[in-house]
Amino acid sequence: METDPYQLIEGMTIAGLAVGANQGYIYLRSEYPVAHKILNKAIERATEAGFLGKNICNSNSDFFLEVRLGAGAYICGEETSLLESLEGKRGMVRAKPPLPAIEGLFGKPTVVNNVLTLGAAASILEQGSETYKDFGMGRSRGTLAVQLAGNVKRGGVIELAFGVTLREVVEDFGGGTYSGRPIRAIQMGGPLGAFLPASQWDTPLDYEAFAAIKAMIGHGGIVVFDDTVDMAAQARFAMEFCAVESCGKCTPCRIGATRGVEVIDRIVNNQDRDNNLILLTDLCDTMELGSLCAMGGMTPFPVRSALTYFAEDFSGESPREN
Amino acid sequence: MLEFYEPQPDFGTPQSDSETLVTLTIDGISVTVPEGTSVMRAASEGGVKIPRLCATDSLKSFGSCRICLVEIEGRRGFPASCTTTVTEGMEVRTQSSEIGKLRRNVMELYISDHPLDCLTCPTNGDCELQDTAGEVGLRAVRYGFEGENHLVAEKDESNPYFTFDPSKCILCSRCVRACEEVQGTFALTIDGRGFDSKVSAGQAESFMESECVSCGACVDACPTATLTEKSIIELGKPEHSVVTTCAYCGVGCSFKAEMKGNEVVRMTPYKDGKANEGHACVKGRFAFGYTTHKDRITKPMIRESIDDPWREVSWDEAVSYTAERFKAIQAKYGRISIGAISSSRCTNEEVYLVQKMVRTGFGNNNIDTCARVCHSPTGFGLKTTLGESAGTQTFASVEKADVVIVMGANPTEAHPVFASRLKRRLREGAKLIVIDPRQIELVRSPHIVADYHLPVRPGTNVTVLNALAHVIVNEGLQAHDYIAERCETADFEKWVQFIADERHSPEHTEQFSGVPAADLRAAARLYATGGNGAIFYGLGVTEHSQGSTAVMGIANLAMLTGNLGRDGVGVNPLRGQNNVQGSCDMGSFPHELPGYRHVSNVATRQLFEREWGVTLDSEPGLRIPNMFDAAIDGDFKGLYCQGEDIAQSDPNTHHVEAALKAIECLVVQDIFLNETAKFAHVFLPGATFLEKDGTFTNAERRISRVRKTMPPLSGKADWEGTMALANALGCNMHYNHPSEIMDEIAKLTPTFSGVSYKKLDELGSIQWPCNDHTPAGTPIMHVDEFVRGKGFFAITEYVPTEERANRKFPLLLTTGRILSQYNVGAQTRRTSNSQWHAEDTLEIHPHDAEERGINHGDWVGIQSRVGQTVLHADVTSRVKPGVVYTTFHHPVSGANVITTDNSDWATNCPEYKVTAVQISKVTAPSSWQARQKSFDTQQLQLLEKARH
Amino acid sequence: MDKSANIDELVEQFKTLPGGLIPLLHAVKHAVGYIPNESVPQIAIGFNLSRAEVHGVISFYHDFNTSPVGQHTVQICRAEACQSMGSRQIEAHAKKSLGIEYGETTKDGRVTLQPVYCLGNCACSPSMRIDDDIYARVSPASFDQLISELYVPAAGNAGEKR
Amino acid sequence: MSASKIERLVKMVNQISLNMSSNGPADFVAMQVSEHLEKFWSPPMKNLISEHIADQNIGLSPISLKAVIELAAIQKAK
């Protein structure tokens, strides 16, 4: 969006033409003021050049594109919450069905995709689906724009075919940690992604392979932590983040996340430790199986993985911040 | 219908109206339900209860509580049964150890932020949270109670009727959704998000400061003690309940009177009541306290003159005293020197008895009813054009309407439960045309915008109706085939000649009505071409010198566009009081016997004469205004007035007071010493709707049972009082129960011949006509043909009212109602409803106010040709320049001191809606108000003497 | 500035935009610095919503503050990538050096401190935002430098602005 | 400001006539007006207005007068 906004604009236009939509919205987080300026400018230029608006490229088709700014709500990345927000409402998650493709924005059928998908559309059309399909492995075809971040020497976005291992990405592309200390954990797929220990770094970037280890590729974000990380604090943060960003509609997420923070605190403080560990597992089950959307449903991923692979950090003996 | 108290069954999600059926198995039980039904509802219908908290069948499924999760063969995870719809062959399991654990764990989270005070909680034993915790088997809360919580959240006690205790809230949003989906006010929201979420009225303010209209839908929807009636907090859970019908407006809502012994603990809207389907308003839901108010008079009283103190006497003495006085008056002044006025607040049976007493005991036809002053033009106009004096539809029919015209009615204030239905339909996309001088709430309010608001100048309705018809005819938009098939074609041709004339064009009528021609044309096209068109109208149509003409104009429009005789269309008078329709049906007019049959008709008369054993007068009696005139002329000397406060509600108060003072024996039967009773010689204590059996008939012709919840405080229900008086006059009336009166009505009235209490108990309610052809009643009238045969297009010439603005009286005053108060306020003023509306004010446009140096809140004098009163000014652009507006709920306001004697040409319904006035800034109440105050004080002292 | 008149203009501008409430609220915040509670009724009328609904929307989104904030808003990223690069130390330092907690404004009204969850600059963590500028690789020292520049009229930009 | 008995009745008849004035030719309207009076008015009112047929000064409009004459005939026939 910041360096090649036209790729997204083109992708959305293609998608719009494909489904017969004549209005597209880019729902952009307000935390990205730079992207906001660039996208607006790009849309303005594309419209002036006849690539957007009425009768685009003399095709007798119209496609209008508008950037709508979020207002500080992570949950609005969830597709139904995003639609509510675009409608000018509280970003509360909708129960599905109906799926947005049937009844979406303003009650109309709506395609909701992420930037990566729409960004890939133009090159797929240009080079043919076969070419795109040739990349990747198993059922995960094509490429993934990996965002390498955190404590890493060379961070940034790398577009790779599925199948490369996490270790290759972090070590070969990233060059190890920024701090120069050993890597201890890698979080893959955003704040709701699992923390992976060294034993799992050889997992290839493939949806099925990640699902098999109860992790996810998600949006392709990779965050590297060195050996100073306190994984109990990270687990606690996952719950805390969920508590801060939950829309509050469903009970497992609304109350569960807050209780999660409290239970983890009791565990690390050695209060009735064994029972609280059981309770935390129960809570993770409840959130995972009972939540209305992925926010509450996936918050247990980082928590459980930290608890499983970095249990020593929950002993209450490791030095913790906060 | 007396039953032990039990909440009504809740299927969890609304009913699907699909005609396609789907069969599935739930826990091995085969269930067949309409497509679109939720798994939860299907389970309920199959006898399987799935625990839930955020679901209730009055609201769309929401999916937030996550208690109702189930397993479905072939689907991953645990779908919520409320948001999952059934599919053919689906196999659902509602119980398993995994589900059980999940539900218990979710419940554990709820209870970790909930006070542990079940035993002392006001809804102990009537709490869905408590029940559900039991159902899921919660035994411990492992999180403890030390964590973050909302237990110290402050209570909001601002609403007089219910408490909001957020510490008990589980954030199911049922209240918020009820306010939106059921009531349509959108006064509630969730403030914040995540764990900090909390229910908020308005902008995180108290309920009373917010947009809340206190309909109670949120209280009904709340599954916990968060929103609880104060009466329940004070008195505890009810032990039995009685289904009855509300005694306020013409919507006729069904309620469960929830009782402890003879005390009403609360009134809850009855889901199976077809008029309201489980919804209510602030009056019916909460304002029942008047029934036991200390002002109730429970003993008969008599006095020689209105300057004498009252004397409490026995029923026997009061009744024989009255009979003797009446007989003496008749002996002295003639048979037609006495009469009676019956009440649209009383039951059908009571109204029937009053007219029977007049026609048999008084020996004349001097019987009229308060419908005279509200909807008599409806009776005349609809009978003339369609053949029946009643609205054509059910309320539910509006759910099929595509274009709705609301004319001279303000449903959100006066018919709130119907308004909620209407608003729901409008939110679904139906179009709306409002014809009203004021910008009523329906013109613009949250999620509602009228497509056209035609701000008609008071008194010119007929020009607007004619212009609408003119556009339809001249643009060829009429329903040609429908008219040819169903209407009198020769009369139609004559009418077309009349209406097509240029004098009815919007461009020409604009000068009278003030309605922009372009808007009017567009509205006409919309109504004629927008699909099902339904017209709802109120007293803003009838209470005019051309009230009857306007009603006929409305019927013409509906016939012209083929909008009669099916679902979603029709002509629908919104009746003011609970039993206006019924009181008219029961023969309360001086020219008509029950069933709208003229007294001059020999066969009809003979039918009644045989049954009643007397000879009936074949000539019409006096209408209410005629009675007043005759009283002043010295020809009318005795009046029995039941449940009607003519001194306050009838126009030109000076004139009415003069008439009342001229009456030698005025008998008032009421629950309070009302304004009229202050002029009375005999006071017979009335009974409230809670104290008697009977039936009310609402605006959709729906006859519903009124059931006794407690014995009459005075020892006699109103029908028993009337019967005693009738017998003292020599009639031979012996009824043991109102059902016997209904049996007599059914015997004598073809439209009621199939009605009986037994059938009412079976069906819940019946819309007349109910006879051999339509044994279950008639939801929609004129389906195949009009009652009169062919529809008649009446000529509706515009005749300007004499009440015109001029230099001396440059503004036009019109009147209306407000939500919290009811009519003359006798009931609602004796409840906490006055907290919303403690006084009547005068609405005046900022421009008119500024010209007169009037500021918001100033005392203003309102001078008409007949009188003056003083109110506080409410400077607002709800009214347009040139128009002022007030309500008439408080006696001291004297709204009728300024209204004139003008009345409808055909029915003498007073022209309440147009009074030319001048407004000026003043410093004190008017001389009438001062006199009223001292008279009031004097009369209350005379009452006190009776009580000691 | 007559706030209410200005807000009326904005309401007029946005009320016909589908889903225009959130763009309006951004515009009001931009014009006034916050969303005054007194403006809710006029917004509600313009958008044909209840006051409750408008309030519900405002209170849902972290961006929409209903009371004035400092001249500058400083946001420190708390998300994982920044945590992996020491954002917790930056947080602690920021609170201490400004003498305020999250959500508070310095006594002189200059700076409001807020947490933020990801500024999209994760490859160059830790990040912070001052008004509409994002800064990367923030250290306690560069934080102090950036803050001190807020106190210099027409300050140039130091630090590693992206 | 109560008008006298007969003034009130005259006003009422004239109002009815005016409202029916476009229903057809004068004779037809007069007949409709008289039917209306017969149907809705009480005998003393009918009698009083009928007694004033000959009185030119009470202010009945031409159609009203015609109607009252017809009404009087109906009354007489009873």
Side-chain angles (χ1 to χ4, degrees), chain A residues 170-242:
Chain A
V170 172
E171 291 182 353
D172 297 355
F173 289 91
T177 60
Y178 184 82
S179 63
R181 300 180 66 94
I183 302 177
R184 182 155 183 243
I186 300 174
Q187 187 179 26
M188 177 83 207
L192 309 180
F195 290 105
L196 307 178
S199 61
Q200 293 181 335
W201 297 346
D202 292 318
T203 312
L205 292 184
D206 166 280
Y207 290 112
E208 284 70 32
F210 265 69
I213 58 165
K214 298 206 161 185
M216 67 157 184
I217 289 179
H219 55 44
I222 293 176
V223 176
V224 177
F225 292 86
D226 70 12
D227 62 351
T228 61
V229 68
D230 174 352
M231 292 307 293
Q234 292 307 132
R236 183 188 195 276
F237 176 78
M239 286 290 191
E240 191 188 351
F241 179 69
C242 181

Side-chain angles (χ1 to χ4, degrees), chain A residues 2 25 27 29-34 37 66 68-76 81 84-92 106 148-157 178-179 187 190-192 195 223-226 228 233-234 237-238 240-241 244-248 321-322, chain C residues 14 16-23 25-26 29 47 49 52-64 75 77-89 91 95 102 115-126 129-134 137 160-162:
Chain A
E2 290 179 358
Y25 291 99
Y27 187 85
R29 300 182 68 221
S30 61
E31 289 85 348
Y32 304 160
V34 177
K37 281 179 205 140
E66 200 182 320
R68 284 291 174 90
L69 217 47
Y74 175 80
I75 189 62
C76 291
S81 168
E84 291 283 305
S85 186
L86 269 183
E87 290 182 2
K89 301 176 186 160
R90 295 166 54 80
M92 300 295 277
F106 303 116
L148 190 51
N151 198 333
V152 64
K153 196 164 281 168
R154 292 188 296 271
V157 180
Y178 184 82
S179 63
Q187 187 179 26
L192 309 180
F195 290 105
V223 176
V224 177
F225 292 86
D226 70 12
T228 61
Q234 292 307 132
F237 176 78
E240 191 188 351
F241 179 69
V244 171
E245 293 295 343
S246 164
C247 77
E321 300 144 47
N322 267 3
Chain C
F14 284 97
T16 52
L17 183 71
L21 180 58
I22 288 169
L25 293 172
H26 275 301
K29 184 180 166 172
F47 279 77
L49 299 168
E53 288 175 287
V54 176
H55 175 76
V57 171
I58 293 170
S59 68
F60 184 87
Y61 295 98
H62 295 323
D63 281 3
F64 299 140
Q75 292 183 321
C77 179
R78 299 193 69 205
E80 295 85 349
C82 289
Q83 289 184 42
S84 77
M85 290 296 289
S87 66
R88 288 173 196 243
Q89 286 87 332
E91 270 182 294
K95 290 178 184 174
Y102 277 142
V116 68
Y117 295 86
C118 195
L119 293 166
N121 202 26
C122 315
C124 307
S125 300
R129 175 176 174 178
I130 300 178
D131 302 326
D132 268 356
D133 294 323
I134 311 277
R137 300 283 190 225
E160 192 179 337
K161 187 178 169 187
R162 58 176 303 218

